[in-house]
Amino acid sequence: MGPPVDPVPAGDSQPKSADVVIVGGGIIGVSAALFLARKGISVVVCEKGHVAGEQSSRNWGWCRRMGRDPRELPLIVEALKMWGGIEELVGEDVGFRRTGILYLCQDESDVEHHAEWVRRAGDYALDSKMIEGRALADLMPGAQKTFRAALHTPSDGRAEPQKAAPAIARAAQRAGARILLRCAVREIETEAGRVSGVVTENGPIRASTVVVAGGAWSSHLCRSVGIRLPQLAVRSSVMRTGPVEGGPDGAAWTEGFAYRKRLDGGYTIADGTISYHHVNPDSFRYFTDFLPILSREWRSIGLRFGDFLGGPFGLSPRLEGEGSVYERHRTLDPEPAVAPLEAARANMEKVFPVLKGVPTLQRWAGFIDATPDAVPVISPVKSLPGLVIATGFSGHGFGIGPAAGRLTADIVTGDTPLVAPTAFRYERFIDGTRHRPTTGV
Ligand SMILES: Cc1cc2nc3c(=O)[nH]c(=O)nc-3n(C[C@H](O)[C@H](O)[C@H](O)COP(=O)(O)OP(=O)(O)OC[C@H]3O[C@@H](n4cnc5c(N)ncnc54)[C@H](O)[C@@H]3O)c2cc1C
């Protein structure tokens, strides 16, 4: 089971038509809905389960500029400004705190790797810098191990994933958006070569624009209208502890463990290095697209076999007599990888003995929606007018989420975009562009 998520009022009824239908009530879908509704657009979000039931409540909660692919830097800078004013935007505290984030270096090659990011980020590096000695020790109260150095960004922070997307969704509702829960979109409809609406499990909704913000499901949905979107699902696991007295207040990653302090006083802990891909038909369909990233990242991806056709992404989206695969899997809830989580906790305990005896309250996992270059698609689709894709956030869409939603809304309405959207264009995956992932963690 995933962590308990703040509720969003159900009860919005399904309209016959809207200007825009958004498929997916994760942080991207509900943020796009908020900004569209604030522009006076009639917008409906269809969520097959509950808001933030999948990745958007299961993530670490890091809101970071540090370590980002240069293509994402302008958008994450805007996102962090938005997080700074999130309470005003949504009318409640969702736990955003600028507690800083550390990438801890164990040796010289780590130092060189992170220092290289600072050089590459140029002006976008802002307050990110390499620190060591006393400056680093002060940020790790109670640490029993000295790290060689760290990349530190004091202005990065964290928010509570179980609160943020639901609060944005409620704000979107207040602004006029309709959010339909337990409402799977079975198909996107087209007419005369353009999008004309969707068919949900409760019937059709006509709309001239459909935004696909379906997380790990987006590729399946796009395929049903002949759009090839290379995307693979990667399972990543997390645990949370009970409250801890003392210990560091911020977040950190190093080989062997990653942590961040939660608003409830506990820690969210993860291994942060290893994730798993469950081999399914998409693995072969998109093999060549992912070859460059796989050849670089193969040590951090474990392959799992079995259930080739029976897993969530193995089936054809339509199920005879049972509606669709989206109803069968209302909320993706993969098994967490317990051994790597326990090892991560043990590694963290060695550094912070204050964790000893603190109970582990829960473990869970989520499926990340990875693209071949680890950069999202936030883009119209030239070959199918009316279709807009906002997906493929590749394990770092929570922090960038509010700004990605705003950019999606700008693209839908044709307003001046929050940032230049060129780097996120869909066509890079079909026009022969070579994919060069450049992100670190
Ligand atoms: C373990 C883990 C740790 C992470 N840590 C971080 C982090 O620290 N910082 C960070 O920035 N990011 C992190 N991420 C990534 C981040 O969580 C995601 O990038 C982000 O939540 C993606 O949001 P989304 O709205 O695109 O997708 P999702 O949250 O997955 O939402 C998609 C929604 O679409 C719905 N849907 C799909 N198909 C249909 C359909 N046909 N009809 C109706 N509804 C449909 C699904 O039910 C789902 O609710 C992490 C992810 C995981 C799994």
Side-chain angles (χ1 to χ4, degrees):
M1 275 258 289
V5 184
D6 281 3
V8 172
D12 288 333
S13 55
Q14 179 165 319
K16 291 203 165 17
S17 66
D19 294 332
V20 180
V21 170
I22 297 175
V23 188
I27 194 162
I28 305 302
V30 298
S31 299
L34 171 61
F35 290 106
L36 283 167
R38 285 163 62 120
K39 289 173 190 264
I41 305 292
S42 83
V43 54
V44 176
V45 176
C46 297
E47 167 51 54
K48 64 183 169 56
H50 57 279
V51 166
E54 296 192 349
Q55 293 177 85
S56 291
S57 65
R58 292 164 185 257
N59 62 73
W60 300 357
W62 289 28
C63 302
R64 70 171 165 91
R65 183 165 40 79
M66 192 165 80
R68 289 259 173 188
D69 187 296
R71 289 167 286 184
E72 292 185 342
L73 285 170
L75 193 59
I76 187 65
V77 166
E78 293 301 324
L80 281 160
K81 283 186 208 158
M82 285 176 163
W83 281 111
I86 195 87
E87 209 167 324
E88 206 178 310
L89 186 69
V90 303
E92 55 189 286
D93 179 11
V94 298
F96 179 70
R97 306 286 185 269
R98 281 191 206 277
T99 47
I101 298 184
L102 290 164
Y103 286 167
L104 300 167
C105 304
Q106 317 228 13
D107 55 30
E108 285 311 313
S109 75
D110 289 348
V111 174
E112 183 43 39
H113 176 72
H114 293 309
E116 170 61 18
W117 180 83
V118 178
R119 283 193 289 275
R120 255 192 298 131
D123 289 346
Y124 286 109
L126 301 176
D127 60 343
S128 300
K129 57 178 186 303
M130 300 303 297
I131 59 170
E132 57 186 34
R134 188 73 261 154
L136 176 54
D138 286 348
L139 295 169
M140 302 182 68
Q144 297 299 303
K145 172 174 171 170
T146 305
F147 285 85
R148 165 67 192 81
L151 174 58
H152 179 225
T153 303
S155 61
D156 279 353
R158 46 144 159 120
E160 295 302 322
Q162 293 98 56
K163 290 183 176 300
I168 297 170
R170 291 191 294 268
Q173 284 177 319
R174 289 195 297 278
R178 289 197 206 198
I179 299 193
L180 309 179
L181 307 179
R182 291 185 71 81
C183 181
V185 168
R186 290 178 176 168
E187 278 175 359
I188 297 168
E189 290 206 300
T190 59
E191 239 173 61
R194 57 163 299 127
V195 161
S196 60
V198 297
V199 178
T200 80
E201 59 187 297
N202 303 314
I205 308 176
R206 288 192 69 80
S208 54
T209 304
V210 172
V211 176
V212 175
W217 299 95
S218 299
S219 180
H220 272 226
L221 258 174
C222 287
R223 203 156 56 241
S224 70
V225 279
I227 301 300
R228 182 182 190 277
L229 174 66
Q231 183 189 42
L232 291 178
V234 179
R235 179 172 55 105
S236 184
S237 303
V238 186
M239 66 158 65
R240 70 181 169 99
T241 71
V244 179
E245 282 295 324
D249 193 36
W253 177 89
T254 189
E255 187 79 30
F257 66 94
Y259 63 80
R260 72 126 179 137
K261 187 85 175 214
R262 301 167 57 88
L263 209 54
D264 60 19
Y267 283 96
T268 291
I269 302 175
D271 162 76
T273 307
I274 185 92
S275 299
Y276 297 92
H277 173 62
H278 295 247
V279 175
N280 65 53
D282 287 346
S283 322
F284 295 93
R285 197 174 272 130
Y286 303 132
F287 179 73
T288 50
D289 303 83
F290 280 85
L291 208 50
I293 200 168
L294 274 177
S295 56
R296 203 192 71 167
E297 301 283 340
W298 61 272
R299 282 185 200 83
S300 59
I301 303 285
L303 293 181
R304 290 288 174 269
F305 299 90
D307 229 9
F308 181 76
L309 290 173
F313 307 110
L315 295 165
S316 148
R318 277 164 164 271
L319 298 179
E320 287 306 319
E322 289 182 64
S324 70
V325 72
Y326 309 111
E327 290 133 271
R328 180 183 281 190
H329 296 278
R330 290 268 174 213
T331 302
L332 275 176
D333 189 25
E335 282 295 314
V338 175
L341 282 177
E342 288 308 321
R345 186 187 158 132
N347 291 337
M348 185 173 167
E349 257 181 46
K350 276 186 213 146
V351 179
F352 296 106
V354 70
L355 261 180
K356 287 204 171 101
V358 174
T360 294
L361 298 184
Q362 201 184 3
R363 301 182 192 90
W364 64 82
F367 275 118
I368 285 170
D369 51 342
T371 64
D373 59 4
V375 169
V377 174
I378 310 171
S379 171
V381 175
K382 283 187 189 148
S383 60
L384 187 55
L387 184 67
V388 173
I389 297 174
T391 200
F393 287 83
S394 304
H396 39 269
F398 178 71
I400 213 168
R406 162 76 197 278
L407 180 61
T408 304
D410 293 340
I411 287 171
V412 167
T413 56
D415 291 335
T416 305
L418 180 64
V419 300
T422 324
F424 308 123
R425 68 194 178 93
Y426 160 70
E427 279 75 21
R428 72 186 192 271
F429 290 130
I430 53 166
D431 66 2
T433 300
R434 290 186 65 195
H435 309 311
R436 295 176 199 275
T438 57
T439 23
V441 174

